[in-house]
Amino acid sequence: MTESVDTPVRESPRPVTPPPALERVRRALWGDLPRSEYAKIALLAAVFLLIVGSYWLLRTLKDAIFMKITGRLLIPYAKMLSFALMVPLILVYQRLVDVVEKHQLFYILCGGYGALFLLLSAALAVPGWGLDGGPPGAHRLLGWAVYLAVESFASLTVPLFWSFTNSIFDTNSAKSGFGLIVWGAQFGAIAGPTLSRYASSFGILNLVRIAGLLILYVPVLIARFVRRYPEARQRTLAAGPATGAREGGRRREREKERRSRGEGTKRGEVRGTIREEQRKGQLDVQCSDPTAISHFMGGFGQWTNGLTLVFS
């Protein structure tokens, strides 16, 4: 008679749970966000980090390039021209929204802007056209092109990102996840000016190329996101609920309140713009090398976005 041997039953491994302290910190920062949403939000945070980081890198370079090629006194005219340029660009953007899916808009906009900045970096290296093309002047169109390209880039890609993101998440996930997305974007806003501080080592042309490559990587991440989360694509295709008369009235009242509160903000922005132009004028007088101007503007961006991260 053979004795039966009892085989030990293997217990399934228990899920690894984070320590209670880390869990409390996570909930304090981002609320009760489901763990299944973390990978989705992290991928979108990486997309927004690339958009914001490349923009801040280019923003700290565009003034140095424009002052060297076109001239500091023409910066106010470049700002006004950028506002005028946004009108046809917004019309084209609205037309694309009607005929193209939102994730495909990233392929068009980021692919186009990435290629544009790579082309501009190559043009800046051409003798007689770029940074070594002699005294500045309004006739040197390359400075205008760089300035307008940088100003319009964020004006189109940032609203596109939030439109894409808002159509994916519900209200509860948005309350917890959007903070993580913005938190990641703040690191991009610090990393971009940090690279600009080393313009003398990297070279302004190489930094423009780096920004163009970072922008070109955005469609790669968006394509990966759509493949991994196909249900998100279906949610972007769904139409939002219609706005009734009562809700439309509430929105108009809220818009009036925002406008009344925004009057003081607009006056503060005007004063800030005047101080910014005075600071750039002093930089143009004291710094003849555009890399020195980029170094200063990069430090200014570091401190501004660093303090924003601390107090956010």
Side-chain angles (χ1 to χ4, degrees):
M1 187 176 225
T2 60
E3 298 181 356
S4 60
V5 179
D6 295 334
T7 58
V9 178
R10 293 184 179 181
E11 297 182 356
S12 58
R14 297 179 179 179
V16 179
T17 58
L22 293 179
E23 189 68 18
R24 286 195 296 269
V25 172
R26 181 183 68 85
R27 289 186 176 183
L29 290 175
W30 303 301
D32 296 327
L33 186 66
R35 297 186 180 278
S36 59
E37 296 289 305
Y38 270 107
K40 183 188 298 185
I41 291 176
L43 193 54
L44 289 175
V47 171
F48 204 33
L49 185 149
L50 291 179
I51 293 175
V52 175
S54 58
Y55 166 70
W56 269 97
L57 173 58
L58 292 167
R59 177 177 175 175
T60 54
L61 297 174
K62 69 176 174 61
D63 289 319
I65 295 173
F66 190 85
M67 285 190 285
K68 179 65 175 178
I69 296 179
T70 309
R72 174 187 60 84
L73 298 178
L74 295 174
I75 290 181
Y77 297 97
K79 285 185 175 293
M80 290 186 289
L81 185 59
S82 66
F83 287 125
L85 179 65
M86 287 308 302
V87 175
L89 287 180
I90 290 175
L91 293 177
V92 174
Y93 174 80
Q94 290 177 343
R95 177 58 181 168
L96 289 175
V97 169
D98 295 334
V99 299
V100 178
E101 296 182 23
K102 289 182 179 179
H103 72 279
Q104 294 176 343
L105 276 176
F106 282 101
Y107 309 155
I108 297 173
L109 291 182
C110 293
Y113 273 105
L116 175 61
F117 286 118
L118 290 178
L119 181 62
L120 290 175
S121 66
L124 288 171
V126 176
W129 284 79
L131 295 175
D132 57 349
H139 63 282
R140 301 183 63 184
L141 301 180
L142 187 57
W144 298 96
V146 172
Y147 197 98
L148 297 177
V150 175
E151 288 292 317
S152 62
F153 166 68
S155 300
L156 294 178
T157 54
V158 172
L160 171 61
F161 173 82
W162 284 119
S163 175
F164 179 80
T165 306
N166 288 333
S167 62
I168 293 174
F169 296 101
D170 54 21
T171 303
N172 295 328
S173 298
K175 290 179 180 179
S176 302
F178 282 13
L180 181 59
I181 293 175
V182 175
W183 203 50
Q186 289 295 332
F187 283 102
I190 297 173
T194 301
L195 286 175
S196 185
R197 283 184 63 85
Y198 297 96
S200 58
S201 301
F202 290 103
I204 291 181
L205 302 184
N206 289 329
L207 291 178
V208 176
R209 294 188 186 104
I210 291 173
L213 293 175
L214 292 177
I215 296 171
L216 285 176
Y217 195 63
V218 170
V220 177
L221 292 181
I222 292 295
R224 182 179 180 183
F225 182 88
V226 173
R227 287 196 304 268
R228 180 175 293 184
Y229 306 104
E231 71 280 1
R233 177 184 176 183
Q234 298 301 322
R235 296 191 67 172
T236 60
L237 296 176
T243 302
R246 182 177 300 178
E247 179 62 22
R250 294 196 191 103
R251 291 187 180 183
R252 284 193 295 270
E253 291 298 326
R254 290 196 295 266
E255 182 65 24
K256 290 180 181 178
E257 293 177 1
R258 283 194 296 267
R259 288 181 180 178
S260 62
R261 291 194 301 265
E263 292 299 327
T265 304
K266 290 178 181 178
R267 289 192 292 268
E269 290 177 353
V270 170
R271 290 193 294 267
T273 302
I274 294 174
R275 288 194 295 267
E276 182 180 358
E277 294 304 320
Q278 292 174 347
R279 183 176 64 250
K280 292 176 182 178
Q282 295 174 354
L283 279 174
D284 190 28
V285 172
Q286 297 178 3
C287 303
S288 59
D289 188 3
T291 58
I293 300 176
S294 300
H295 177 83
F296 177 86
M297 297 300 294
F300 179 78
Q302 276 183 321
W303 279 102
T304 301
N305 296 308
L307 291 175
T308 303
L309 177 62
V310 171
F311 291 105
S312 62

Coordinates of all heavy atoms in Angstrom, one line a residue, residues 142-223:
L142 N 15.0 86.1 -41.9 CA 15.1 84.9 -41.1 C 14.8 85.2 -39.7 O 14.3 84.3 -39.0 CB 16.6 84.4 -41.3 CG 16.8 83.0 -40.7 CD1 15.9 82.0 -41.2 CD2 18.3 82.6 -40.9
G143 N 15.2 86.4 -39.2 CA 14.9 86.7 -37.8 C 13.4 86.7 -37.6 O 12.9 86.3 -36.5
W144 N 12.6 87.3 -38.5 CA 11.2 87.4 -38.4 C 10.6 85.9 -38.4 O 9.7 85.6 -37.7 CB 10.6 88.2 -39.6 CG 11.0 89.6 -39.6 CD1 12.0 90.2 -40.3 CD2 10.4 90.7 -38.9 NE1 12.0 91.5 -40.1 CE2 11.1 91.9 -39.2 CE3 9.3 90.8 -38.0 CZ2 10.7 93.1 -38.7 CZ3 8.9 92.0 -37.5 CH2 9.6 93.2 -37.8
A145 N 11.1 85.1 -39.3 CA 10.6 83.7 -39.4 C 10.8 83.0 -38.1 O 9.9 82.2 -37.6 CB 11.3 83.0 -40.5
V146 N 12.0 83.1 -37.5 CA 12.2 82.4 -36.2 C 11.3 82.9 -35.1 O 10.7 82.1 -34.4 CB 13.7 82.6 -35.8 CG1 13.9 82.1 -34.4 CG2 14.6 81.9 -36.8
Y147 N 11.1 84.2 -35.0 CA 10.3 84.8 -34.0 C 8.8 84.3 -34.1 O 8.2 83.9 -33.2 CB 10.4 86.3 -34.0 CG 9.9 87.0 -32.8 CD1 10.7 87.4 -31.8 CD2 8.5 87.2 -32.6 CE1 10.3 88.0 -30.6 CE2 8.1 87.8 -31.4 CZ 9.0 88.2 -30.5 OH 8.5 88.8 -29.3
L148 N 8.3 84.4 -35.3 CA 6.9 84.1 -35.6 C 6.7 82.6 -35.4 O 5.6 82.1 -34.9 CB 6.5 84.5 -37.0 CG 6.5 86.0 -37.2 CD1 6.2 86.3 -38.7 CD2 5.6 86.7 -36.3
A149 N 7.6 81.7 -35.8 CA 7.5 80.3 -35.6 C 7.4 79.9 -34.2 O 6.6 79.1 -33.8 CB 8.6 79.6 -36.3
V150 N 8.3 80.5 -33.3 CA 8.2 80.2 -31.9 C 7.0 80.7 -31.2 O 6.3 79.9 -30.4 CB 9.5 80.8 -31.2 CG1 9.4 80.6 -29.7 CG2 10.8 80.2 -31.8
E151 N 6.5 81.9 -31.6 CA 5.3 82.4 -31.0 C 4.1 81.6 -31.3 O 3.2 81.4 -30.5 CB 5.1 83.9 -31.4 CG 6.1 84.8 -30.8 CD 5.9 85.0 -29.3 OE1 4.8 85.1 -28.8 OE2 6.9 85.0 -28.5
S152 N 4.0 81.2 -32.6 CA 2.8 80.4 -33.0 C 2.8 79.0 -32.6 O 1.7 78.4 -32.5 CB 2.6 80.5 -34.5 OG 3.7 79.9 -35.2
F153 N 4.0 78.4 -32.3 CA 4.0 77.0 -31.9 C 3.2 76.7 -30.7 O 2.3 75.8 -30.7 CB 5.5 76.6 -31.7 CG 5.7 75.3 -31.1 CD1 5.3 74.1 -31.7 CD2 6.2 75.2 -29.8 CE1 5.5 72.9 -31.1 CE2 6.4 74.0 -29.2 CZ 6.0 72.8 -29.8
A154 N 3.5 77.4 -29.6 CA 2.8 77.1 -28.4 C 1.3 77.5 -28.5 O 0.4 76.8 -27.8 CB 3.4 77.8 -27.2
S155 N 1.0 78.5 -29.2 CA -0.4 79.0 -29.3 C -1.3 77.9 -30.0 O -2.5 77.9 -29.8 CB -0.5 80.3 -30.1 OG 0.3 81.3 -29.5
L156 N -0.7 77.0 -30.8 CA -1.5 76.0 -31.4 C -1.4 74.6 -30.7 O -2.4 73.9 -30.6 CB -1.1 75.9 -32.9 CG -1.4 77.1 -33.8 CD1 -0.8 76.8 -35.2 CD2 -2.8 77.4 -33.8
T157 N -0.2 74.3 -30.3 CA 0.0 72.9 -29.8 C -0.6 72.7 -28.3 O -1.1 71.7 -28.0 CB 1.5 72.5 -29.8 OG1 2.2 73.6 -29.1 CG2 2.0 72.4 -31.2
V158 N -0.4 73.8 -27.5 CA -0.9 73.6 -26.1 C -2.5 73.5 -26.1 O -3.0 72.6 -25.4 CB -0.5 74.8 -25.3 CG1 -1.1 74.8 -23.9 CG2 1.1 74.8 -25.1
P159 N -3.2 74.3 -26.8 CA -4.7 74.1 -26.8 C -5.1 72.7 -27.4 O -6.0 72.1 -27.0 CB -5.2 75.2 -27.7 CG -4.2 76.3 -27.6 CD -2.9 75.6 -27.5
L160 N -4.3 72.3 -28.4 CA -4.6 71.0 -29.0 C -4.4 69.9 -28.0 O -5.2 68.9 -27.9 CB -3.7 70.7 -30.2 CG -3.7 69.3 -30.8 CD1 -5.1 69.0 -31.3 CD2 -2.7 69.2 -31.9
F161 N -3.3 70.0 -27.2 CA -3.0 69.0 -26.2 C -4.2 68.9 -25.2 O -4.7 67.8 -24.8 CB -1.7 69.2 -25.5 CG -1.5 68.3 -24.3 CD1 -0.9 67.1 -24.5 CD2 -1.8 68.7 -23.0 CE1 -0.7 66.2 -23.5 CE2 -1.5 67.9 -22.0 CZ -1.0 66.6 -22.2
W162 N -4.6 70.0 -24.7 CA -5.7 70.0 -23.7 C -7.0 69.6 -24.2 O -7.8 69.0 -23.6 CB -5.8 71.4 -23.0 CG -4.7 71.6 -22.0 CD1 -3.7 72.6 -22.0 CD2 -4.4 70.9 -20.8 NE1 -2.9 72.5 -21.0 CE2 -3.2 71.4 -20.2 CE3 -4.9 69.7 -20.3 CZ2 -2.7 71.0 -19.1 CZ3 -4.4 69.2 -19.1 CH2 -3.3 69.8 -18.5
S163 N -7.3 69.9 -25.5 CA -8.5 69.5 -26.1 C -8.5 67.9 -26.3 O -9.5 67.3 -26.0 CB -8.6 70.1 -27.5 OG -9.7 69.6 -28.2
F164 N -7.3 67.4 -26.6 CA -7.2 65.9 -26.7 C -7.3 65.3 -25.4 O -8.0 64.3 -25.2 CB -5.8 65.6 -27.4 CG -5.5 64.2 -27.5 CD1 -6.0 63.4 -28.6 CD2 -4.7 63.5 -26.6 CE1 -5.7 62.1 -28.7 CE2 -4.4 62.2 -26.7 CZ -4.9 61.5 -27.8
T165 N -6.7 65.9 -24.4 CA -6.7 65.3 -23.0 C -8.1 65.4 -22.4 O -8.6 64.4 -21.7 CB -5.7 66.0 -22.1 OG1 -4.4 65.9 -22.8 CG2 -5.6 65.3 -20.8
N166 N -8.8 66.5 -22.6 CA -10.1 66.7 -22.0 C -11.1 65.7 -22.5 O -12.1 65.3 -21.9 CB -10.6 68.1 -22.2 CG -9.9 69.1 -21.3 OD1 -9.4 68.8 -20.3 ND2 -9.8 70.3 -21.8
S167 N -10.9 65.3 -23.8 CA -11.9 64.4 -24.4 C -11.6 62.9 -24.0 O -12.5 62.0 -24.3 CB -11.8 64.5 -25.9 OG -10.5 64.1 -26.4
I168 N -10.5 62.6 -23.3 CA -10.2 61.3 -22.9 C -10.7 60.9 -21.5 O -11.2 59.9 -21.3 CB -8.7 61.1 -23.0 CG1 -8.2 61.1 -24.5 CG2 -8.3 59.7 -22.4 CD1 -6.8 61.1 -24.7
F169 N -10.5 61.9 -20.6 CA -10.7 61.6 -19.2 C -12.1 62.1 -18.7 O -12.6 63.1 -19.2 CB -9.6 62.2 -18.3 CG -8.3 61.6 -18.5 CD1 -7.3 62.3 -19.3 CD2 -7.9 60.4 -18.0 CE1 -6.1 61.8 -19.5 CE2 -6.7 59.9 -18.2 CZ -5.7 60.6 -19.0
D170 N -12.7 61.4 -17.7 CA -13.9 61.9 -17.1 C -13.5 62.9 -16.0 O -12.3 63.2 -15.8 CB -14.7 60.8 -16.5 CG -13.9 59.9 -15.6 OD1 -12.9 60.4 -15.1 OD2 -14.3 58.7 -15.4
T171 N -14.5 63.5 -15.4 CA -14.3 64.5 -14.4 C -13.4 64.1 -13.2 O -12.5 64.8 -12.8 CB -15.6 65.1 -13.9 OG1 -16.4 65.5 -15.0 CG2 -15.4 66.3 -13.0
N172 N -13.7 62.9 -12.7 CA -13.0 62.4 -11.5 C -11.5 62.1 -11.8 O -10.6 62.5 -11.1 CB -13.6 61.1 -11.0 CG -15.0 61.4 -10.5 OD1 -15.3 62.5 -9.9 ND2 -15.9 60.4 -10.6
S173 N -11.2 61.5 -13.0 CA -9.9 61.2 -13.3 C -9.1 62.5 -13.7 O -7.9 62.7 -13.4 CB -9.8 60.3 -14.5 OG -10.4 59.0 -14.2
A174 N -9.8 63.5 -14.2 CA -9.2 64.8 -14.6 C -8.8 65.5 -13.3 O -7.7 66.1 -13.3 CB -10.2 65.6 -15.4
K175 N -9.6 65.5 -12.3 CA -9.2 66.2 -11.1 C -8.0 65.7 -10.5 O -7.2 66.5 -9.9 CB -10.4 66.1 -10.1 CG -11.6 66.9 -10.4 CD -12.7 66.7 -9.4 CE -14.0 67.5 -9.7 NZ -15.1 67.3 -8.7
S176 N -7.7 64.4 -10.6 CA -6.5 63.8 -10.0 C -5.4 63.8 -10.9 O -4.2 64.0 -10.5 CB -6.8 62.4 -9.5 OG -7.9 62.4 -8.6
G177 N -5.7 63.5 -12.2 CA -4.6 63.3 -13.2 C -4.0 64.5 -13.8 O -2.8 64.6 -14.1
F178 N -4.8 65.6 -13.9 CA -4.3 66.8 -14.6 C -3.2 67.4 -13.8 O -2.3 68.1 -14.3 CB -5.4 67.8 -14.9 CG -6.3 67.4 -16.0 CD1 -6.2 66.1 -16.6 CD2 -7.2 68.3 -16.6 CE1 -6.9 65.8 -17.7 CE2 -7.9 67.9 -17.7 CZ -7.8 66.7 -18.2
G179 N -3.2 67.3 -12.5 CA -2.2 67.9 -11.7 C -0.8 67.2 -11.9 O 0.2 67.9 -12.0
L180 N -0.9 65.9 -12.2 CA 0.4 65.2 -12.5 C 0.9 65.6 -13.9 O 2.1 65.7 -14.1 CB 0.1 63.7 -12.5 CG 1.2 62.7 -12.8 CD1 2.4 63.0 -11.8 CD2 0.8 61.3 -12.7
I181 N 0.0 65.8 -14.8 CA 0.4 66.3 -16.1 C 1.1 67.6 -16.1 O 2.1 67.9 -16.6 CB -0.8 66.3 -17.1 CG1 -1.3 64.9 -17.3 CG2 -0.4 66.9 -18.4 CD1 -2.6 64.8 -18.2
V182 N 0.4 68.6 -15.3 CA 1.0 69.9 -15.2 C 2.3 69.8 -14.4 O 3.3 70.6 -14.7 CB 0.0 70.8 -14.5 CG1 0.6 72.2 -14.3 CG2 -1.2 71.0 -15.4
W183 N 2.4 69.0 -13.4 CA 3.6 68.8 -12.7 C 4.8 68.4 -13.6 O 5.9 68.9 -13.5 CB 3.4 67.8 -11.5 CG 4.3 68.0 -10.4 CD1 4.6 69.1 -9.7 CD2 5.1 66.9 -9.8 NE1 5.5 68.8 -8.7 CE2 5.8 67.5 -8.7 CE3 5.2 65.5 -10.0 CZ2 6.7 66.7 -7.9 CZ3 6.0 64.8 -9.2 CH2 6.8 65.4 -8.2
G184 N 4.5 67.4 -14.5 CA 5.5 67.0 -15.4 C 5.9 68.1 -16.4 O 7.1 68.3 -16.7
A185 N 4.9 68.9 -16.8 CA 5.2 70.0 -17.7 C 6.1 71.1 -17.1 O 6.9 71.7 -17.8 CB 3.9 70.7 -18.2
Q186 N 6.0 71.3 -15.8 CA 6.8 72.2 -15.1 C 8.3 71.8 -15.1 O 9.2 72.7 -15.3 CB 6.4 72.4 -13.6 CG 5.1 73.1 -13.4 CD 5.1 74.5 -13.9 OE1 6.2 75.2 -13.9 NE2 4.0 75.1 -14.4
F187 N 8.5 70.5 -15.1 CA 9.9 70.1 -15.2 C 10.4 70.4 -16.7 O 11.6 70.7 -16.8 CB 10.0 68.6 -14.9 CG 10.0 68.3 -13.5 CD1 8.8 67.8 -12.9 CD2 11.1 68.4 -12.7 CE1 8.8 67.5 -11.5 CE2 11.1 68.2 -11.3 CZ 9.9 67.7 -10.8
G188 N 9.6 70.2 -17.6 CA 10.0 70.6 -19.0 C 10.2 72.1 -19.1 O 11.2 72.5 -19.8
A189 N 9.4 72.9 -18.4 CA 9.6 74.3 -18.5 C 10.9 74.8 -17.8 O 11.4 75.8 -18.0 CB 8.4 75.1 -17.8
I190 N 11.4 73.9 -16.9 CA 12.7 74.2 -16.2 C 13.9 73.6 -17.1 O 14.9 74.2 -17.2 CB 12.8 73.6 -14.8 CG1 11.7 74.3 -13.9 CG2 14.1 73.8 -14.2 CD1 11.5 73.7 -12.6
A191 N 13.7 72.5 -17.7 CA 14.7 71.8 -18.4 C 15.1 72.6 -19.7 O 16.3 72.7 -20.1 CB 14.3 70.4 -18.8
G192 N 14.1 73.2 -20.4 CA 14.3 74.0 -21.6 C 15.3 75.2 -21.3 O 16.3 75.3 -22.0
P193 N 14.9 76.1 -20.3 CA 15.9 77.2 -20.0 C 17.2 76.7 -19.5 O 18.2 77.4 -19.7 CB 15.1 78.0 -19.0 CG 13.7 77.7 -19.2 CD 13.6 76.2 -19.7
T194 N 17.2 75.5 -18.9 CA 18.5 75.0 -18.4 C 19.5 74.7 -19.5 O 20.7 75.0 -19.5 CB 18.3 73.7 -17.5 OG1 17.5 74.1 -16.4 CG2 19.6 73.2 -17.0
L195 N 18.9 74.1 -20.6 CA 19.8 73.9 -21.8 C 20.2 75.2 -22.4 O 21.4 75.4 -22.9 CB 19.0 73.1 -22.8 CG 18.8 71.6 -22.6 CD1 17.9 71.0 -23.6 CD2 20.1 70.9 -22.5
S196 N 19.3 76.2 -22.4 CA 19.7 77.5 -23.0 C 20.8 78.2 -22.2 O 21.6 79.0 -22.8 CB 18.4 78.4 -23.0 OG 18.7 79.7 -23.6
R197 N 21.0 77.9 -20.9 CA 22.0 78.5 -20.1 C 23.4 78.0 -20.6 O 24.4 78.7 -20.3 CB 21.9 78.2 -18.7 CG 20.8 79.0 -18.0 CD 20.7 78.7 -16.5 NE 22.0 79.1 -15.8 CZ 22.3 80.3 -15.3 NH1 21.4 81.3 -15.5 NH2 23.4 80.5 -14.7
Y198 N 23.4 76.9 -21.3 CA 24.7 76.4 -21.8 C 24.8 76.6 -23.3 O 25.3 75.7 -24.0 CB 24.8 74.9 -21.5 CG 24.8 74.6 -20.0 CD1 23.7 74.3 -19.3 CD2 26.0 74.7 -19.3 CE1 23.7 74.1 -17.9 CE2 26.1 74.5 -17.9 CZ 24.9 74.2 -17.2 OH 24.9 74.0 -15.9
A199 N 24.2 77.7 -23.8 CA 24.3 78.0 -25.2 C 25.7 78.1 -25.7 O 26.0 77.8 -26.9 CB 23.4 79.2 -25.5
S200 N 26.6 78.6 -24.9 CA 28.0 78.8 -25.3 C 28.7 77.5 -25.5 O 29.6 77.4 -26.3 CB 28.7 79.6 -24.3 OG 28.7 79.0 -23.0
S201 N 28.2 76.4 -24.8 CA 28.8 75.1 -25.0 C 28.1 74.3 -26.1 O 28.8 73.7 -27.0 CB 28.7 74.3 -23.7 OG 29.3 75.0 -22.6
F202 N 26.8 74.3 -26.2 CA 26.1 73.6 -27.2 C 26.1 74.3 -28.5 O 26.1 73.7 -29.6 CB 24.7 73.3 -26.8 CG 24.5 72.3 -25.7 CD1 24.3 72.7 -24.4 CD2 24.7 71.0 -25.9 CE1 24.2 71.8 -23.3 CE2 24.6 70.0 -24.9 CZ 24.3 70.5 -23.6
G203 N 26.0 75.7 -28.5 CA 25.8 76.4 -29.7 C 24.3 76.7 -29.9 O 23.5 75.7 -29.7
I204 N 23.9 77.9 -30.3 CA 22.5 78.2 -30.5 C 21.9 77.3 -31.6 O 20.8 76.9 -31.5 CB 22.4 79.7 -30.8 CG1 22.7 80.5 -29.6 CG2 21.0 80.0 -31.3 CD1 22.6 82.0 -29.8
L205 N 22.6 77.1 -32.7 CA 22.1 76.3 -33.8 C 21.8 74.9 -33.3 O 20.7 74.3 -33.7 CB 23.1 76.3 -35.0 CG 23.5 77.7 -35.5 CD1 24.4 77.5 -36.8 CD2 22.2 78.4 -35.9
N206 N 22.7 74.3 -32.5 CA 22.4 72.9 -32.1 C 21.2 72.9 -31.1 O 20.5 71.9 -31.1 CB 23.7 72.4 -31.4 CG 24.8 72.1 -32.3 OD1 24.5 71.7 -33.5 ND2 26.0 72.2 -31.9
L207 N 21.0 73.9 -30.3 CA 19.9 74.0 -29.4 C 18.6 74.1 -30.2 O 17.6 73.5 -29.8 CB 20.0 75.1 -28.5 CG 21.1 75.0 -27.4 CD1 21.2 76.2 -26.5 CD2 20.9 73.7 -26.5
V208 N 18.6 74.8 -31.3 CA 17.4 74.9 -32.2 C 17.1 73.5 -32.8 O 16.0 73.1 -32.9 CB 17.6 76.0 -33.2 CG1 16.4 76.0 -34.2 CG2 17.7 77.3 -32.6
R209 N 18.2 72.8 -33.2 CA 18.0 71.5 -33.7 C 17.5 70.5 -32.6 O 16.6 69.7 -32.9 CB 19.3 70.9 -34.2 CG 19.9 71.7 -35.4 CD 21.1 71.0 -36.0 NE 21.7 71.8 -37.1 CZ 22.8 72.6 -36.9 NH1 23.5 72.6 -35.7 NH2 23.3 73.3 -37.9
I210 N 18.0 70.6 -31.4 CA 17.5 69.8 -30.3 C 16.0 70.0 -30.1 O 15.2 69.1 -30.0 CB 18.3 70.0 -29.0 CG1 19.7 69.5 -29.2 CG2 17.6 69.4 -27.8 CD1 20.6 69.8 -28.0
A211 N 15.6 71.3 -30.1 CA 14.1 71.6 -29.9 C 13.3 71.0 -31.1 O 12.2 70.4 -30.9 CB 14.0 73.1 -29.9
G212 N 13.8 71.1 -32.3 CA 13.1 70.5 -33.4 C 12.9 69.0 -33.3 O 11.9 68.4 -33.6
L213 N 14.0 68.3 -32.8 CA 13.9 66.9 -32.7 C 13.0 66.5 -31.5 O 12.2 65.5 -31.7 CB 15.3 66.3 -32.4 CG 16.3 66.4 -33.6 CD1 17.7 65.9 -33.1 CD2 15.8 65.6 -34.8
L214 N 12.9 67.3 -30.5 CA 12.0 67.0 -29.4 C 10.6 67.1 -29.9 O 9.7 66.3 -29.5 CB 12.3 67.9 -28.2 CG 13.6 67.7 -27.5 CD1 13.7 68.8 -26.4 CD2 13.7 66.3 -26.8
I215 N 10.3 68.1 -30.7 CA 9.0 68.3 -31.2 C 8.6 67.2 -32.1 O 7.4 66.7 -32.1 CB 8.9 69.7 -31.9 CG1 9.1 70.8 -30.9 CG2 7.5 69.8 -32.6 CD1 9.2 72.2 -31.6
L216 N 9.5 66.7 -32.9 CA 9.2 65.6 -33.8 C 9.0 64.3 -33.1 O 8.3 63.4 -33.6 CB 10.4 65.4 -34.8 CG 10.6 66.4 -35.9 CD1 11.8 66.1 -36.7 CD2 9.3 66.4 -36.8
Y217 N 9.4 64.2 -31.8 CA 9.2 63.0 -31.0 C 7.8 63.0 -30.4 O 7.3 61.9 -30.0 CB 10.2 62.8 -29.9 CG 10.3 61.5 -29.3 CD1 10.6 60.4 -30.0 CD2 9.9 61.3 -28.0 CE1 10.7 59.1 -29.5 CE2 10.0 60.0 -27.4 CZ 10.3 59.0 -28.1 OH 10.4 57.7 -27.6
V218 N 7.1 64.1 -30.4 CA 5.7 64.1 -29.9 C 4.8 63.2 -30.7 O 4.0 62.5 -30.1 CB 5.2 65.6 -29.8 CG1 3.7 65.7 -29.5 CG2 6.0 66.4 -28.8
P219 N 4.7 63.3 -32.0 CA 3.9 62.4 -32.7 C 4.2 60.9 -32.5 O 3.2 60.1 -32.5 CB 4.1 62.7 -34.2 CG 4.6 64.1 -34.2 CD 5.4 64.2 -32.9
V220 N 5.4 60.6 -32.2 CA 5.8 59.2 -31.9 C 5.1 58.7 -30.6 O 4.5 57.6 -30.5 CB 7.3 59.0 -31.7 CG1 7.7 57.6 -31.3 CG2 8.0 59.4 -33.1
L221 N 5.1 59.6 -29.5 CA 4.4 59.3 -28.3 C 2.9 59.2 -28.4 O 2.3 58.4 -27.8 CB 4.8 60.3 -27.2 CG 6.3 60.3 -26.8 CD1 6.5 61.3 -25.7 CD2 6.7 58.9 -26.2
I222 N 2.4 60.1 -29.2 CA 0.9 60.1 -29.5 C 0.5 58.8 -30.2 O -0.5 58.2 -29.8 CB 0.5 61.4 -30.3 CG1 0.7 62.6 -29.4 CG2 -0.9 61.2 -30.7 CD1 -0.2 62.7 -28.2
A223 N 1.3 58.4 -31.2 CA 1.0 57.2 -31.9 C 1.0 56.0 -31.0 O 0.2 55.1 -31.0 CB 1.9 57.0 -33.1

